[in-house]
Amino acid sequence: MTIAPTATLPPEGPLSPDGPTAESMAGESLWKGAWQRLRRNPMALIGGGIMAVFVFVALFAPLLAPYEPASTEWTELSTPFFVQGSNSEHLLGIDRWGSDMLTQLIFGARQSLIIGVVSTLIGLFAGALLGTLAGGLGGKVDTVIMRFVDILLSIPSLLLAISIAAAMGKSSFALMVAIGAAQIPIFARLLRSTMLSQSRSDYVLAANALGLRRRNIILGHILPNSLGPTIVQATLNLATAIIEVAALSFLGLGEDDPAVAEWGRMIVSGQDRFQIAPWLAFYPGICIAITALGFTLLGEALREALDPKQRR
Amino acid sequence: MTVEYVPGQPQSQPQTTIAGHGDRPLLTVTDLSVTFTRRGRAPVHAVDDVSFQIRAGEHVGLVGESGSGKSVTSLAIMGLLPRGGVEVAGSVDFDGQELIGLDTATMRNLRGQELAMVFQDPMTSLNPVITVGRQITEVLKRHRDLDKADARTEAVDLLTKVGIPDPARRVGDYPHQLSGGMRQRVLIAIALACQPRLLIADEPTTALDVTIQAQILELLRELVSGSQTALLMITHDLGVVAGLCDRVHVMYSGRIVESAERRQLFARPRHPYTGGLMASIPRLDQPRGVPLTPIPGSPTDTLPWSQGCAFAPRCPNSEVDCRMHTPALEPADNRALRCFHPLTTDPRSVGATHA
Ligand SMILES: Nc1ncnc2c1ncn2[C@@H]1O[C@H](COP(=O)(O)OP(=O)(O)OP(=O)(O)O)[C@@H](O)[C@H]1O
Ligand code: SF4
Ligand SMILES: [Mg+2]
């Protein structure tokens, strides 16, 4: 005789250990969950799309650009009285120095990406180090580090960047350090406060109750739980960094070699022909705006994905 | 003259020596006081002259309503109170070693290895971004010097022991993939990973569903009984203690008000507060529909102990002297009791037996 399958048992009967939750069936991790929320967010798709195009263009600039960068072949097409606009040979026309505008913009993406990423990384690492020390160790270390960070923060970031760029001389590296240094306080404060609030949570008390080493608790438990907001901030800071590269170049503090295309400097150089050829400043300006928008959208979407409770 | 009675002291404790428990207590808490001092605020005496002992393998209950100082007592024993704004006085002797004021490195070596703790909320007590397997192996590596492979094998064994199905797969899970009951099982596995000599369970079932509560208690009982691990069970529910503990200390507003061997206490509660707690346990032998009798008032309705009996504002037996003098903890009727007018009749329905 076959026994008919019994009616569905209560999932958590008094004798059976409580079963897995529906969630566990999906077998997803915390980051996977965030990834899924990210994929469903149109803001993230737009931001990610812009970023992908930007990175692609920056990486493959030599292949994509129609002409050689910094060519002076068409100098006569850019005079104080006439600037060649878009035509079949030059899709976006000729720039201030007689190079192909599209080519210069494409190579400019490369410069912006390198400076933006490297400077943000400089700010992120230095800031994260200070923030981890302050937030993890607390006490006197915290006081000293935060005093230093406060001083750094009290200097307007542009002024700080200008001073550093001026002190180190005109080079791309100086620009990166300058922009990165201005970001240190943002990352240090953010990570510190996240870590301090995390260190009051139950799992940290539980980890302490297990006698785990302090270093392990700080680096292995508190830090990984505090990284979310910092990653979001880094994405947002990339946008700011790209704008700041342009701003500092605009102020004449960037790369000295005129052969290196850079969006900020392209705006500056376009200024004296603004009356007759506004696109000289307009095209690089649009590039900066769109790229910054892309990183900002992605950063905001990341923030929501990592902390779904904060969603409106 | 009143002599302060130290509960659990061998000479004042008849017929409670359980075979195999040895004579020297594992943990001796003497006059433990914890005061929170915050600038601009009145000091809070969260724990006030608390003394008790636990023998190896013994199960002791610490019972009281919210705010009575149970958690603070356990954190003081574990050395986990915040560093600033707290004054700790008295002594906590663990197997001959004084824990109060012990240097942090030594204390960290004891924690997790000799003393372990299970907390109230399994939803927040596990690290959300680390797999449960790693959270177990971490402790094994820290205190038992196991290498990676051995630690993993041991972790799977531990998960099996605490009744988690398919443990080899579960070690790779993140906490949010487990239900509350399963998480508490994991936390118990972690706490018992190094076979500690004392396990403190601070309301381990309060945050769980009723059916799961019974399972977790049963699991704790299974794991702890028959081993040398002593258990300090902290709860607001005398029902939890009834089937689990050898000895029970009832706390109110930071002080022990009654402590007795379990059978003595349940057979005849003497302190009006104990009586009140007992009357609020749901009972199977009571006809349905009979309402439980909660203790009137709230735990915040207290008198400072320095002015009288803290329970006086809520006490059915209270008289004038209760608000003028502070009752001492004194030996009476096979127990220690802090009350001027103890109960003479069982507050529960007459003729009922319990536990
Ligand atoms: N960090 C703190 N700062 C100030 N007061 C505190 C602190 N922790 C606890 N207290 C106070 O100590 C008293 C005892 O708290 P405790 O957490 O030990 O109570 P409990 O018996 O465990 O109650 P519960 O059942 O709610 O867990 C409470 O009055 C509480 O307000
Ligand atoms: S001392 Fe008085 S107020 Fe306090 S519990 Fe006993 S009878 Fe009640
Ligand atoms: Mg508590």
Side-chain angles (χ1 to χ4, degrees):
Chain A
M1 188 190 115
T2 49
I3 297 162
T6 45
T8 45
L9 287 164
E12 302 197 322
L15 289 174
S16 71
D18 38 302
T21 59
E23 252 180 315
S24 73
M25 299 305 188
E28 56 169 43
S29 82
L30 204 70
W31 291 100
K32 273 190 205 149
W35 170 241
Q36 261 154 27
R37 282 191 290 277
L38 201 61
R39 271 194 347 202
R40 282 195 292 264
N41 187 344
M43 236 164 66
L45 294 181
I46 297 171
I50 293 175
M51 202 189 78
V53 169
F54 173 62
V55 172
F56 180 81
V57 167
L59 286 180
F60 298 103
L63 299 178
L64 294 170
Y67 299 99
E68 285 296 301
S71 148
T72 47
E73 213 180 316
W74 306 284
T75 332
E76 70 280 5
L77 293 181
S78 173
T79 68
F81 312 105
F82 169 77
V83 177
Q84 173 66 56
S86 113
N87 64 11
S88 55
E89 263 173 76
H90 304 284
L91 209 59
L92 297 179
I94 292 298
D95 82 349
R96 165 73 172 75
W97 309 109
S99 312
D100 178 62
M101 178 59 111
L102 184 59
T103 304
Q104 294 302 96
L105 285 177
I106 287 172
F107 277 89
R110 187 170 251 210
Q111 194 67 6
S112 291
L113 181 71
I114 292 170
I115 299 182
V117 167
V118 173
S119 65
T120 302
L121 285 180
I122 291 173
L124 178 65
F125 277 109
L129 184 69
L130 292 177
T132 305
L133 285 173
L137 297 176
K140 283 205 185 72
V141 182
D142 181 27
T143 313
V144 171
I145 290 179
M146 289 332 277
R147 227 14 77 71
F148 170 72
V149 166
D150 282 343
I151 293 170
L152 215 53
L153 199 67
S154 68
I155 308 170
S157 66
L158 201 58
L159 188 64
L160 183 70
I162 290 172
S163 326
I164 293 175
M168 289 182 64
K170 288 176 153 196
S171 73
S172 296
F173 183 66
L175 202 61
M176 295 176 204
V177 173
I179 296 167
Q183 297 186 17
I184 292 174
I186 301 171
F187 288 115
R189 289 188 139 205
L190 181 67
L191 195 58
R192 170 187 177 267
S193 71
T194 325
M195 285 183 77
L196 282 181
S197 73
Q198 284 291 327
S199 62
R200 280 189 288 273
S201 54
D202 286 355
Y203 70 85
V204 175
L205 183 66
N208 272 308
L210 290 170
L212 298 183
R213 293 189 196 285
R214 198 154 166 232
R215 191 176 25 136
N216 179 13
I217 293 177
I218 294 171
L219 298 179
H221 289 252
I222 301 177
L223 186 61
N225 275 289
S226 311
L227 283 180
T230 304
I231 293 171
V232 170
Q233 188 64 48
T235 316
L236 294 173
N237 270 27
L238 268 173
T240 328
I242 287 169
I243 294 173
E244 263 172 31
V245 176
L248 288 183
S249 299
F250 188 88
L251 295 173
L253 289 164
E255 177 62 57
D256 217 14
D257 182 359
V260 180
E262 203 286 312
W263 292 341
R265 230 180 25 208
M266 288 169 76
I267 298 181
V268 186
S269 64
Q271 269 188 327
D272 61 352
R273 293 187 189 164
F274 196 73
Q275 300 284 322
I276 55 163
W279 63 85
L280 290 183
F282 183 71
Y283 289 142
I286 278 285
C287 287
I288 293 169
I290 290 177
T291 315
L293 178 74
F295 280 107
T296 307
L297 285 177
L298 190 67
E300 292 293 346
L302 255 179
R303 190 203 299 281
E304 280 186 12
L306 286 173
D307 190 0
K309 272 165 282 170
Q310 270 193 355
R311 275 196 200 179
R312 294 136 293 164
Chain B
M1 189 192 103
T2 46
V3 179
E4 264 288 298
Y5 173 88
V6 181
Q9 210 87 72
Q11 63 269 24
S12 56
Q13 188 198 23
Q15 45 37 358
T16 44
T17 319
I18 295 152
H21 284 165
D23 278 313
R24 190 143 140 265
L26 175 69
L27 183 84
T28 307
V29 176
T30 315
D31 296 336
L32 180 69
S33 297
V34 180
T35 311
F36 290 98
T37 49
R38 286 271 162 76
R39 251 182 300 157
R41 257 188 271 171
V44 178
H45 301 283
V47 176
D48 207 350
D49 268 347
V50 163
S51 304
F52 62 90
Q53 298 184 335
I54 305 178
R55 273 160 232 285
E58 197 181 18
H59 307 164
V60 171
L62 193 58
V63 185
E65 283 169 303
S66 187
S68 52
K70 309 177 301 284
S71 297
V72 173
T73 305
S74 61
L75 293 178
I77 295 170
M78 296 288 290
L80 289 172
L81 287 168
R83 260 170 288 171
V86 191
E87 277 166 28
V88 183
S91 149
V92 173
D93 178 300
F94 181 75
D95 197 25
Q97 187 163 35
E98 177 59 51
L99 299 187
I100 303 288
L102 190 65
D103 68 287
T104 46
T106 317
M107 194 69 216
R108 256 181 214 281
N109 286 335
L110 289 178
R111 273 190 231 130
Q113 189 166 38
E114 304 273 340
L115 305 143
M117 196 159 169
V118 176
F119 291 92
Q120 175 171 343
D121 193 350
M123 304 316 262
T124 56
S125 297
L126 283 167
N127 187 334
V129 304
I130 301 180
T131 62
V132 298
R134 214 186 111 194
Q135 298 191 51
I136 304 175
T137 53
E138 203 168 44
V139 183
L140 296 169
K141 285 186 204 156
R142 165 73 171 95
H143 293 299
R144 283 173 56 186
D145 263 342
L146 295 186
D147 64 30
K148 211 172 168 188
D150 287 348
R152 202 197 122 93
T153 317
E154 179 73 25
V156 174
D157 281 355
L158 282 163
L159 288 183
T160 315
K161 225 188 234 171
V162 296
I164 289 194
D166 199 2
R169 191 169 66 85
R170 287 298 179 186
V171 289
D173 276 1
Y174 288 86
H176 74 106
Q177 292 169 260
L178 305 177
S179 66
M182 296 244 272
R183 287 191 218 190
Q184 197 59 297
R185 285 171 193 269
V186 170
L187 284 160
I188 291 171
I190 294 174
L192 293 178
C194 302
Q195 287 141 11
R197 286 196 283 167
L198 175 66
L199 175 68
I200 301 178
D202 188 353
E203 312 219 24
T205 58
T206 311
L208 303 172
D209 291 350
V210 182
T211 48
I212 314 286
Q213 282 186 7
Q215 291 174 21
I216 295 292
L217 281 178
E218 184 52 38
L219 175 72
L220 264 177
R221 194 215 317 271
E222 259 171 41
L223 292 174
V224 165
S225 63
S227 78
Q228 277 298 92
T229 300
L231 175 70
L232 178 60
M233 173 57 100
I234 292 176
T235 174
H236 59 265
D237 183 356
L238 266 177
V240 164
V241 154
L244 193 64
C245 296
D246 308 314
R247 177 159 274 280
V248 184
H249 304 282
V250 181
M251 254 182 116
Y252 190 75
S253 191
R255 292 199 187 187
I256 290 180
V257 293
E258 180 167 17
S259 68
E261 204 238 332
R262 183 234 301 171
R263 248 176 289 272
Q264 307 279 352
L265 189 82
F266 281 97
R268 192 161 176 240
R270 296 299 312 275
H271 199 281
Y273 180 59
T274 315
L277 287 176
M278 243 171 242
S280 56
I281 307 175
R283 291 160 57 95
L284 292 175
D285 57 356
Q286 216 158 43
R288 278 178 147 264
V290 174
L292 296 171
T293 348
I295 305 172
S298 91
T300 50
D301 272 337
T302 55
L303 215 59
W305 280 110
S306 56
Q307 287 172 29
C309 175
F311 190 53
R314 303 169 68 193
C315 180
N317 285 17
S318 104
E319 288 179 29
V320 191
D321 55 341
C322 302
R323 291 172 179 273
M324 295 169 68
H325 306 286
T326 308
L329 192 64
E330 288 176 278
D333 191 17
N334 288 327
R335 73 193 68 201
L337 187 61
R338 190 192 290 279
C339 179
F340 293 129
H341 312 285
L343 299 175
T344 47
T345 54
D346 197 317
R348 300 160 294 180
S349 49
V350 185
T353 51
H354 200 276

